[in-house]
């Protein structure tokens, strides 16, 4: 394992990979290799092409298997045993790590929500009256969650600029990204039984990076009065590695102060803020470094709100944080903020400029977090290239 790797035994993220000439199966990343868990642990659940079977076993089993993997990789007496199940990362194909059951996207960054409020409601309060009372969110479309590296086809839809007399149908001209974290549900819950904030770690297995691609022009025309639909449902990209919550223990921080105090069902028993740093690259150039730590609503509160009406959780549910933005301009997690809705174009190193995405643009979002004893935990990356609308 390379010295200083963010994929050491402190991390051990899970994914699904396909070796050359073989069927997909579950593995964990260690350095620049993937450990084939079906071979290493002789457990058929890891021979499946998704994590769902393992996720459904619950938190006790998640921890037992993690301990077994650590022992396999650190015990000199078992070194040969583990080596036979290792595949070089360069020799495998990484796939969607789990089958997505439901997908919910939140709007949990106060800085992001404030920026958009200032853009679109300059003569009113930036935050709507409900924003500090509950984590605002919407249901997405699970079937359009795709693996990192999948091309993102520019969506077509209805759009109407303020100067247009009537709407037109055609390719989006304001294609955007949203840098987010995703939280993967392992253990489900019964219908009618809300999951409180204290149940977060018993139900949520781990964390991934999310790019919630957004067609801002389609979204702006369609969202009143019921919210996002086609402007958000064409593609959501996720990273190939799911980092277990147990790997992020050193990254846990206090959730920012919340005023007014949340209602009892949203109060945290323990803090689930996370000190995770993201970096957004456009065509290889870093254009933003959003910090997750200032996010107003924690993932435990998102989960509690999502189930507070009795909605059940299912293995493979994915819920995302919404755009992660910090207080500084270079910490904004979307182009609509970075360019202030197109009024302040990004100047790129190659001399070009962007307000929104052009065909052929490649967006990569990376993330890291503190690990134990001064190490870093690498969450990997999620990447996608914009493909033109089919003619």
């Amino acid at each position: 394992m390379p010295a200083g790797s963010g994929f050491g035994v402190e991390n051990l993220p899970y994914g699904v990979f396909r070796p050359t000439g073989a069927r997909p199966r579950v593995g964990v990343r260690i350095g620049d290799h993937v450990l084939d868990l079906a071979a290493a642990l002789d457990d058929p659940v890891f021979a499946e092409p998704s994590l769902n079977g393992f996720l459904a076993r619950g938190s006790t089993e998640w921890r037992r298997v993690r301990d077994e993997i650590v022992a396999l990789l650190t015990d000199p007496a078992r070194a040969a045993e583990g080596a036979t199940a290792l595949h070089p990362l360069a020799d495998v194909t990484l796939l969607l790590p789990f089958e997505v059951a439901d997908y919910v996207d939140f709007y949990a960054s106060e800085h992001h929500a404030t920026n958009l409020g200032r853009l679109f409601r300059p003569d009113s309060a930036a935050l709507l009256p409900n924003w500090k009372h509950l984590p605002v969110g919407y249901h997405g479309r699970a079937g359009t969650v795709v693996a990192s590296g999948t091309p993102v086809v520019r969506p077509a839809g209805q759009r109407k600029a303020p100067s247009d007399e009537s709407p037109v149908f055609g390719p989006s001209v304001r294609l955007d990204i949203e840098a987010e974290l995703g939280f993967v549900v392992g253990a489900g819950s019964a219908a009618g039984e809300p999951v409180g904030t204290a149940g977060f770690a018993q139900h949520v297995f781990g964390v991934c990076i999310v790019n919630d691609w957004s067609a801002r022009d389609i979204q702006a025309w369609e969202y009143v009065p019921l919210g996002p639909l086609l402007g958000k449902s064409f593609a959501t990209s996720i990273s190939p590695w799911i980092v277990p919550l147990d790997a992020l223990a050193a990254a846990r921080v206090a959730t920012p102060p919340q005023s007014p105090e949340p209602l009892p069902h949203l109060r945290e028993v323990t803090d689930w803020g996370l000190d995770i740093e993201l970096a957004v690259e456009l065509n290889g150039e870093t254009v933003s470094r959003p910090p997750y730590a200032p996010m107003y609503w924690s993932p435990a509160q998102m989960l509690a709100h999502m189930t507070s009406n009795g909605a059940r959780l299912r293995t493979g549910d994915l819920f995302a944080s919404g755009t992660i933005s910090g207080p500084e301009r270079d910490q904004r997690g979307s182009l609509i903020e970075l360019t202030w809705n197109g009024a302040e174009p990004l100047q790129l190193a190659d001399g070009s400029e962007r307000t929104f995405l052009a065909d052929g643009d490649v967006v990569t979002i990376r993330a890291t977090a503190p690990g134990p004893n001064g190490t870093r935990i690498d969450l990997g990356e999620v990447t996608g290239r914009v493909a033109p609308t089919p003619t």
Side-chain angles (χ1 to χ4, degrees):
M1 183 179 68
S5 170
F7 294 101
V9 292
E10 304 86 4
N11 189 349
L12 300 177
Y14 288 74
V16 170
F17 72 103
R18 183 173 58 232
T20 302
R23 297 179 58 188
R25 74 281 307 274
V26 175
V28 296
R29 181 167 175 178
I30 180 72
D32 294 326
H33 288 76
V34 183
L35 179 69
D36 183 340
L37 293 182
L41 304 182
D42 193 26
D43 187 335
V45 76
F46 297 119
E48 297 297 319
S50 85
L51 273 165
N52 292 53
F54 173 61
L55 298 181
R57 290 182 175 179
S59 59
T60 299
E61 183 69 359
W62 304 338
R63 293 187 178 94
R64 185 196 68 78
V65 169
R66 180 176 175 82
D67 289 344
E68 188 172 353
I69 296 169
V70 170
L72 177 66
L73 293 171
T74 58
D75 183 352
R78 303 181 67 184
E81 177 185 350
T84 61
L86 287 173
H87 296 259
L89 192 62
D91 294 345
V92 305
T93 301
L94 299 178
L95 306 173
L96 193 69
F98 62 99
E99 296 176 17
V100 182
D102 283 313
Y103 170 52
V104 173
D105 195 26
F106 283 96
Y107 188 52
S109 166
E110 183 175 4
H111 297 292
H112 174 66
T114 298
N115 284 338
L116 293 195
R118 289 173 177 163
L119 278 171
F120 298 125
R121 297 184 301 277
D123 299 324
S124 304
L127 297 178
L128 293 172
N130 66 344
W131 199 89
K132 287 199 171 183
H133 291 275
L134 55 83
V136 173
Y138 69 93
H139 282 278
R141 188 163 183 166
T144 58
V145 176
V146 297
S148 175
T150 304
V152 175
V153 176
R154 181 180 298 274
Q158 276 197 31
R159 48 188 169 81
K160 181 181 180 298
S163 58
D164 293 340
E165 291 186 7
S166 58
V168 298
F169 183 89
S172 170
V173 296
R174 295 165 69 84
L175 184 60
D176 201 356
I177 58 99
E178 292 189 345
E180 308 188 13
L181 287 184
F183 301 89
V184 181
V185 172
S189 64
E193 297 181 6
V195 176
T197 58
F200 177 72
Q202 282 68 55
H203 290 274
V204 172
F205 173 73
V207 179
C208 61
I209 312 172
V210 172
N211 186 349
D212 184 35
W213 305 83
S214 300
R216 300 296 185 187
D217 43 358
I218 297 172
Q219 179 185 359
W221 174 237
E222 74 178 357
Y223 87 104
V224 178
L226 292 183
L229 183 61
L230 300 183
K232 291 282 195 174
S233 66
F234 56 97
T236 299
S237 302
I238 66 170
S239 54
W241 302 111
I242 311 302
V243 175
L245 290 185
D246 285 345
L248 295 173
R252 288 179 61 178
V253 294
T255 305
Q258 296 178 328
S259 180
E261 183 180 22
L263 293 174
H265 70 290
L266 291 176
R267 294 174 192 165
E268 288 187 296
V269 177
T270 57
D271 286 312
W272 268 106
L274 291 167
D275 180 15
I276 295 177
E277 296 288 335
L278 290 84
V280 179
E281 296 178 5
L282 176 56
N283 298 331
E285 181 178 342
T286 299
V287 296
S288 177
R289 295 187 179 277
Y292 190 81
M295 294 291 276
Y296 189 88
W297 294 104
S298 79
Q301 291 173 313
M302 296 178 217
L303 184 75
H305 179 63
M306 188 168 65
T307 63
S308 61
N309 65 347
R312 73 185 182 98
L313 297 173
R314 295 191 294 170
T315 296
D317 282 353
L318 171 68
F319 64 97
S321 62
T323 304
I324 302 166
S325 292
E328 305 301 327
R329 179 173 179 173
D330 63 355
Q331 295 177 329
R332 298 170 182 172
S334 62
L335 290 176
I336 196 170
E337 296 171 89
L338 285 166
T339 70
W340 210 243
N341 201 23
E344 303 171 5
L346 279 179
Q347 305 296 322
L348 301 179
D350 64 1
S352 64
E353 64 178 30
R354 291 291 186 279
T355 52
F356 293 92
L357 295 172
D359 289 351
D361 281 348
V362 177
V363 177
T364 299
I365 305 171
R366 308 178 195 275
T368 63
N373 304 315
T375 60
R376 293 295 292 180
I377 298 296
D378 198 329
L379 280 73
E381 65 180 48
V382 59
T383 190
R385 179 186 295 271
V386 178
T389 309
T391 56

